[in-house]
Amino acid sequence: MIDPDSAVPPYEQLAYILRDEIAQGRMIGRIPSVHTISEVHKVSHRTAARALSILKGEGMIVSVPGQGHFVRGGEG
């Protein structure tokens, strides 16, 4: 759950939650859309997009042109 009173920005909190879901195997394959993530976690679309951008920068997810974002898997 995102804590609006936390000193940690909401997009960082969401990125942490998504990292945890990936690590626990609860999120595999294709990543839900920004719209779906924002609805499920009750954050703005901008916050969801920024969290995905962080994970993409960390190499946890990859973007497949025309298909969306996918959890990186099977490479190691």
Side-chain angles (χ1 to χ4, degrees):
M1 168 115 2
I2 304 299
D3 179 4
D5 297 325
S6 174
V8 178
Y11 57 87
E12 287 285 352
Q13 293 179 57
L14 182 58
Y16 177 82
I17 291 168
L18 296 175
R19 270 188 217 102
D20 191 43
E21 289 178 1
I22 291 169
Q24 292 180 7
R26 292 191 320 235
M27 188 181 296
I28 57 174
R30 189 165 195 249
I31 299 289
S33 70
V34 168
H35 179 76
T36 300
I37 291 171
S38 68
E39 282 187 0
V40 169
H41 294 284
K42 299 187 181 0
V43 296
S44 70
H45 288 98
R46 187 176 186 176
T47 296
R50 183 120 185 233
L52 287 179
S53 174
I54 290 169
L55 296 180
K56 199 169 156 187
E58 293 173 353
M60 292 194 81
I61 62 174
V62 293
S63 180
V64 178
Q67 296 183 29
H69 295 88
F70 289 80
V71 172
R72 174 172 270 182
E75 285 110 9

